[in-house]
Amino acid sequence: LPGIVRRDKDGPADGMIPVGFSSWTRGVSGRIRLPGLIHPHEVMSARGPCRILRDALADGTLTRGASRTPALRALRGLAGVFAAFPADLGVWGSAAMELATGRPYTHDESDLDILVEPRGAAGAMEVAGWLRAILDAEAEFGLRIDAELRLDNGRGVSLKELMGEGKTVLGKGELDVTLLDKNTVFDSLSNDNHNR
């Protein structure tokens, strides 16, 4: 049964992994979504966002399904653009579930959830280029793209929020969310700690 690791609002349970399960079919009220906790020995296999996209590109899954929905078309286009950037692109959410299972998780109104993992040091110019590519894809394919930038400490920040107004950004960790100073985030990105 495929699931996605999630943040648990109640904090970590002893040795358990918080996971979310979702149906690919949608009823009047949307999808059936079930939170759960599983023990690590119950996990048959696991793949991260970048691995899911790499696998889908390598085995042709994304190419075969890319015309089905705007989210998959946008992902295919972004994968091509990001191939020239010093960053790895990953995918999660409904597009990741579709690529991993072959089930039709995306639909015409699906948004796209992506992850950007820098390879090496990155400055404001690189980050602005990544965001420009994402905004161009939003306009071209007519959908919302939520892009999270992975920091070297494992936290993720919204790329749009990082490049927007304000002095702080939400940093999402495995177990919590905290406010981060944008200057600290850019200092972290400029260090060459992103060798993946």
PDB file of all heavy atoms in Angstrom, residues 97-118:
ATOM      1  N   MET A  97       2.930  10.283  -6.320  1.00  0.00           N
ATOM      2  CA  MET A  97       2.173   9.039  -6.148  1.00  0.00           C
ATOM      3  C   MET A  97       1.838   8.427  -7.505  1.00  0.00           C
ATOM      4  O   MET A  97       1.891   7.210  -7.682  1.00  0.00           O
ATOM      5  CB  MET A  97       0.912   9.291  -5.335  1.00  0.00           C
ATOM      6  CG  MET A  97       1.175   9.614  -3.882  1.00  0.00           C
ATOM      7  SD  MET A  97       1.935   8.254  -2.983  1.00  0.00           S
ATOM      8  CE  MET A  97       0.525   7.170  -2.796  1.00  0.00           C
ATOM      9  N   GLU A  98       1.498   9.267  -8.484  1.00  0.00           N
ATOM     10  CA  GLU A  98       1.185   8.737  -9.808  1.00  0.00           C
ATOM     11  C   GLU A  98       2.413   8.120 -10.467  1.00  0.00           C
ATOM     12  O   GLU A  98       2.337   7.030 -11.040  1.00  0.00           O
ATOM     13  CB  GLU A  98       0.604   9.841 -10.696  1.00  0.00           C
ATOM     14  CG  GLU A  98       0.227   9.343 -12.057  1.00  0.00           C
ATOM     15  CD  GLU A  98      -0.811  10.203 -12.762  1.00  0.00           C
ATOM     16  OE1 GLU A  98      -1.590  10.912 -12.091  1.00  0.00           O
ATOM     17  OE2 GLU A  98      -0.845  10.151 -13.998  1.00  0.00           O
ATOM     18  N   LEU A  99       3.549   8.794 -10.363  1.00  0.00           N
ATOM     19  CA  LEU A  99       4.766   8.261 -10.975  1.00  0.00           C
ATOM     20  C   LEU A  99       5.224   6.977 -10.284  1.00  0.00           C
ATOM     21  O   LEU A  99       5.729   6.065 -10.936  1.00  0.00           O
ATOM     22  CB  LEU A  99       5.880   9.305 -10.931  1.00  0.00           C
ATOM     23  CG  LEU A  99       5.646  10.561 -11.772  1.00  0.00           C
ATOM     24  CD1 LEU A  99       6.782  11.545 -11.574  1.00  0.00           C
ATOM     25  CD2 LEU A  99       5.459  10.225 -13.237  1.00  0.00           C
ATOM     26  N   ALA A 100       5.032   6.904  -8.975  1.00  0.00           N
ATOM     27  CA  ALA A 100       5.486   5.733  -8.225  1.00  0.00           C
ATOM     28  C   ALA A 100       4.572   4.525  -8.383  1.00  0.00           C
ATOM     29  O   ALA A 100       5.034   3.390  -8.322  1.00  0.00           O
ATOM     30  CB  ALA A 100       5.612   6.092  -6.743  1.00  0.00           C
ATOM     31  N   THR A 101       3.274   4.776  -8.599  1.00  0.00           N
ATOM     32  CA  THR A 101       2.321   3.659  -8.621  1.00  0.00           C
ATOM     33  C   THR A 101       1.703   3.381  -9.982  1.00  0.00           C
ATOM     34  O   THR A 101       1.150   2.302 -10.196  1.00  0.00           O
ATOM     35  CB  THR A 101       1.152   3.931  -7.648  1.00  0.00           C
ATOM     36  OG1 THR A 101       0.376   5.031  -8.145  1.00  0.00           O
ATOM     37  CG2 THR A 101       1.643   4.211  -6.243  1.00  0.00           C
ATOM     38  N   GLY A 102       1.720   4.357 -10.884  1.00  0.00           N
ATOM     39  CA  GLY A 102       1.043   4.206 -12.163  1.00  0.00           C
ATOM     40  C   GLY A 102      -0.454   4.479 -12.077  1.00  0.00           C
ATOM     41  O   GLY A 102      -1.158   4.415 -13.087  1.00  0.00           O
ATOM     42  N   ARG A 103      -0.955   4.795 -10.902  1.00  0.00           N
ATOM     43  CA  ARG A 103      -2.379   5.115 -10.723  1.00  0.00           C
ATOM     44  C   ARG A 103      -2.620   6.592 -11.029  1.00  0.00           C
ATOM     45  O   ARG A 103      -1.751   7.430 -10.813  1.00  0.00           O
ATOM     46  CB  ARG A 103      -2.821   4.821  -9.294  1.00  0.00           C
ATOM     47  CG  ARG A 103      -2.649   3.390  -8.872  1.00  0.00           C
ATOM     48  CD  ARG A 103      -3.673   2.533  -9.529  1.00  0.00           C
ATOM     49  NE  ARG A 103      -3.592   1.162  -9.034  1.00  0.00           N
ATOM     50  CZ  ARG A 103      -4.349   0.200  -9.452  1.00  0.00           C
ATOM     51  NH1 ARG A 103      -5.251   0.418 -10.375  1.00  0.00           N
ATOM     52  NH2 ARG A 103      -4.223  -1.010  -8.965  1.00  0.00           N
ATOM     53  N   PRO A 104      -3.815   6.954 -11.506  1.00  0.00           N
ATOM     54  CA  PRO A 104      -4.098   8.344 -11.909  1.00  0.00           C
ATOM     55  C   PRO A 104      -4.389   9.268 -10.721  1.00  0.00           C
ATOM     56  O   PRO A 104      -5.509   9.713 -10.522  1.00  0.00           O
ATOM     57  CB  PRO A 104      -5.321   8.187 -12.816  1.00  0.00           C
ATOM     58  CG  PRO A 104      -6.024   6.977 -12.280  1.00  0.00           C
ATOM     59  CD  PRO A 104      -4.937   6.055 -11.806  1.00  0.00           C
ATOM     60  N   TYR A 105      -3.348   9.583  -9.943  1.00  0.00           N
ATOM     61  CA  TYR A 105      -3.521  10.470  -8.786  1.00  0.00           C
ATOM     62  C   TYR A 105      -3.734  11.922  -9.187  1.00  0.00           C
ATOM     63  O   TYR A 105      -4.386  12.673  -8.479  1.00  0.00           O
ATOM     64  CB  TYR A 105      -2.302  10.373  -7.855  1.00  0.00           C
ATOM     65  CG  TYR A 105      -2.363   9.226  -6.882  1.00  0.00           C
ATOM     66  CD1 TYR A 105      -1.836   7.974  -7.206  1.00  0.00           C
ATOM     67  CD2 TYR A 105      -2.929   9.389  -5.630  1.00  0.00           C
ATOM     68  CE1 TYR A 105      -1.886   6.928  -6.315  1.00  0.00           C
ATOM     69  CE2 TYR A 105      -2.981   8.334  -4.727  1.00  0.00           C
ATOM     70  CZ  TYR A 105      -2.460   7.111  -5.075  1.00  0.00           C
ATOM     71  OH  TYR A 105      -2.513   6.069  -4.178  1.00  0.00           O
ATOM     72  N   THR A 106      -3.158  12.363 -10.317  1.00  0.00           N
ATOM     73  CA  THR A 106      -3.336  13.759 -10.717  1.00  0.00           C
ATOM     74  C   THR A 106      -4.594  13.904 -11.570  1.00  0.00           C
ATOM     75  O   THR A 106      -5.058  12.953 -12.194  1.00  0.00           O
ATOM     76  CB  THR A 106      -2.118  14.291 -11.501  1.00  0.00           C
ATOM     77  OG1 THR A 106      -1.973  13.553 -12.714  1.00  0.00           O
ATOM     78  CG2 THR A 106      -0.852  14.216 -10.673  1.00  0.00           C
ATOM     79  N   HIS A 107      -5.128  15.116 -11.580  1.00  0.00           N
ATOM     80  CA  HIS A 107      -6.288  15.444 -12.409  1.00  0.00           C
ATOM     81  C   HIS A 107      -6.050  16.842 -12.990  1.00  0.00           C
ATOM     82  O   HIS A 107      -5.025  17.469 -12.708  1.00  0.00           O
ATOM     83  CB  HIS A 107      -7.591  15.365 -11.598  1.00  0.00           C
ATOM     84  CG  HIS A 107      -7.564  16.160 -10.334  1.00  0.00           C
ATOM     85  ND1 HIS A 107      -7.818  17.514 -10.296  1.00  0.00           N
ATOM     86  CD2 HIS A 107      -7.291  15.788  -9.066  1.00  0.00           C
ATOM     87  CE1 HIS A 107      -7.715  17.948  -9.061  1.00  0.00           C
ATOM     88  NE2 HIS A 107      -7.392  16.923  -8.283  1.00  0.00           N
ATOM     89  N   ASP A 108      -6.967  17.328 -13.770  1.00  0.00           N
ATOM     90  CA  ASP A 108      -6.739  18.591 -14.480  1.00  0.00           C
ATOM     91  C   ASP A 108      -6.558  19.794 -13.563  1.00  0.00           C
ATOM     92  O   ASP A 108      -5.976  20.797 -13.959  1.00  0.00           O
ATOM     93  CB  ASP A 108      -7.871  18.866 -15.473  1.00  0.00           C
ATOM     94  CG  ASP A 108      -7.774  17.979 -16.703  1.00  0.00           C
ATOM     95  OD1 ASP A 108      -6.691  17.397 -16.933  1.00  0.00           O
ATOM     96  OD2 ASP A 108      -8.768  17.857 -17.429  1.00  0.00           O
ATOM     97  N   GLU A 109      -7.042  19.731 -12.330  1.00  0.00           N
ATOM     98  CA  GLU A 109      -6.903  20.852 -11.388  1.00  0.00           C
ATOM     99  C   GLU A 109      -5.799  20.614 -10.363  1.00  0.00           C
ATOM    100  O   GLU A 109      -5.653  21.404  -9.430  1.00  0.00           O
ATOM    101  CB  GLU A 109      -8.223  21.114 -10.656  1.00  0.00           C
ATOM    102  CG  GLU A 109      -9.317  21.716 -11.526  1.00  0.00           C
ATOM    103  CD  GLU A 109     -10.011  20.658 -12.379  1.00  0.00           C
ATOM    104  OE1 GLU A 109     -10.289  19.561 -11.852  1.00  0.00           O
ATOM    105  OE2 GLU A 109     -10.258  20.909 -13.573  1.00  0.00           O
ATOM    106  N   SER A 110      -5.045  19.539 -10.493  1.00  0.00           N
ATOM    107  CA  SER A 110      -3.978  19.248  -9.525  1.00  0.00           C
ATOM    108  C   SER A 110      -2.908  20.326  -9.556  1.00  0.00           C
ATOM    109  O   SER A 110      -2.534  20.815 -10.628  1.00  0.00           O
ATOM    110  CB  SER A 110      -3.310  17.912  -9.849  1.00  0.00           C
ATOM    111  OG  SER A 110      -4.160  16.835  -9.603  1.00  0.00           O
ATOM    112  N   ASP A 111      -2.407  20.671  -8.360  1.00  0.00           N
ATOM    113  CA  ASP A 111      -1.220  21.509  -8.319  1.00  0.00           C
ATOM    114  C   ASP A 111      -0.007  20.579  -8.399  1.00  0.00           C
ATOM    115  O   ASP A 111      -0.145  19.369  -8.499  1.00  0.00           O
ATOM    116  CB  ASP A 111      -1.195  22.403  -7.078  1.00  0.00           C
ATOM    117  CG  ASP A 111      -1.159  21.602  -5.774  1.00  0.00           C
ATOM    118  OD1 ASP A 111      -1.188  20.361  -5.816  1.00  0.00           O
ATOM    119  OD2 ASP A 111      -1.102  22.233  -4.716  1.00  0.00           O
ATOM    120  N   LEU A 112       1.170  21.150  -8.366  1.00  0.00           N
ATOM    121  CA  LEU A 112       2.396  20.366  -8.467  1.00  0.00           C
ATOM    122  C   LEU A 112       3.282  20.726  -7.286  1.00  0.00           C
ATOM    123  O   LEU A 112       3.546  21.899  -7.033  1.00  0.00           O
ATOM    124  CB  LEU A 112       3.110  20.674  -9.785  1.00  0.00           C
ATOM    125  CG  LEU A 112       4.432  19.956 -10.043  1.00  0.00           C
ATOM    126  CD1 LEU A 112       4.253  18.438 -10.064  1.00  0.00           C
ATOM    127  CD2 LEU A 112       5.040  20.434 -11.353  1.00  0.00           C
ATOM    128  N   ASP A 113       3.716  19.712  -6.551  1.00  0.00           N
ATOM    129  CA  ASP A 113       4.597  19.901  -5.400  1.00  0.00           C
ATOM    130  C   ASP A 113       5.972  19.376  -5.771  1.00  0.00           C
ATOM    131  O   ASP A 113       6.127  18.181  -6.071  1.00  0.00           O
ATOM    132  CB  ASP A 113       4.060  19.137  -4.183  1.00  0.00           C
ATOM    133  CG  ASP A 113       2.677  19.615  -3.774  1.00  0.00           C
ATOM    134  OD1 ASP A 113       2.529  20.820  -3.529  1.00  0.00           O
ATOM    135  OD2 ASP A 113       1.750  18.789  -3.735  1.00  0.00           O
ATOM    136  N   ILE A 114       6.960  20.280  -5.745  1.00  0.00           N
ATOM    137  CA  ILE A 114       8.313  19.878  -6.131  1.00  0.00           C
ATOM    138  C   ILE A 114       9.307  20.251  -5.040  1.00  0.00           C
ATOM    139  O   ILE A 114       9.042  21.086  -4.184  1.00  0.00           O
ATOM    140  CB  ILE A 114       8.746  20.488  -7.482  1.00  0.00           C
ATOM    141  CG1 ILE A 114       8.735  22.015  -7.432  1.00  0.00           C
ATOM    142  CG2 ILE A 114       7.896  19.962  -8.616  1.00  0.00           C
ATOM    143  CD1 ILE A 114       9.347  22.670  -8.658  1.00  0.00           C
ATOM    144  N   LEU A 115      10.460  19.613  -5.115  1.00  0.00           N
ATOM    145  CA  LEU A 115      11.569  19.860  -4.210  1.00  0.00           C
ATOM    146  C   LEU A 115      12.789  20.228  -5.043  1.00  0.00           C
ATOM    147  O   LEU A 115      13.048  19.606  -6.078  1.00  0.00           O
ATOM    148  CB  LEU A 115      11.859  18.594  -3.399  1.00  0.00           C
ATOM    149  CG  LEU A 115      13.071  18.653  -2.473  1.00  0.00           C
ATOM    150  CD1 LEU A 115      12.781  19.567  -1.283  1.00  0.00           C
ATOM    151  CD2 LEU A 115      13.439  17.263  -1.995  1.00  0.00           C
ATOM    152  N   VAL A 116      13.514  21.253  -4.592  1.00  0.00           N
ATOM    153  CA  VAL A 116      14.760  21.653  -5.240  1.00  0.00           C
ATOM    154  C   VAL A 116      15.886  21.429  -4.237  1.00  0.00           C
ATOM    155  O   VAL A 116      15.857  21.980  -3.141  1.00  0.00           O
ATOM    156  CB  VAL A 116      14.712  23.134  -5.682  1.00  0.00           C
ATOM    157  CG1 VAL A 116      16.037  23.547  -6.300  1.00  0.00           C
ATOM    158  CG2 VAL A 116      13.559  23.375  -6.656  1.00  0.00           C
ATOM    159  N   GLU A 117      16.851  20.592  -4.616  1.00  0.00           N
ATOM    160  CA  GLU A 117      18.008  20.318  -3.764  1.00  0.00           C
ATOM    161  C   GLU A 117      19.260  20.852  -4.449  1.00  0.00           C
ATOM    162  O   GLU A 117      19.683  20.315  -5.479  1.00  0.00           O
ATOM    163  CB  GLU A 117      18.169  18.815  -3.518  1.00  0.00           C
ATOM    164  CG  GLU A 117      17.148  18.248  -2.571  1.00  0.00           C
ATOM    165  CD  GLU A 117      17.528  16.851  -2.076  1.00  0.00           C
ATOM    166  OE1 GLU A 117      18.621  16.352  -2.412  1.00  0.00           O
ATOM    167  OE2 GLU A 117      16.713  16.275  -1.357  1.00  0.00           O
ATOM    168  N   PRO A 118      19.850  21.930  -3.903  1.00  0.00           N
ATOM    169  CA  PRO A 118      21.065  22.487  -4.524  1.00  0.00           C
ATOM    170  C   PRO A 118      22.198  21.470  -4.537  1.00  0.00           C
ATOM    171  O   PRO A 118      22.337  20.663  -3.626  1.00  0.00           O
ATOM    172  CB  PRO A 118      21.421  23.664  -3.611  1.00  0.00           C
ATOM    173  CG  PRO A 118      20.169  23.990  -2.880  1.00  0.00           C
ATOM    174  CD  PRO A 118      19.439  22.689  -2.728  1.00  0.00           C
TER     175      PRO A 118
END
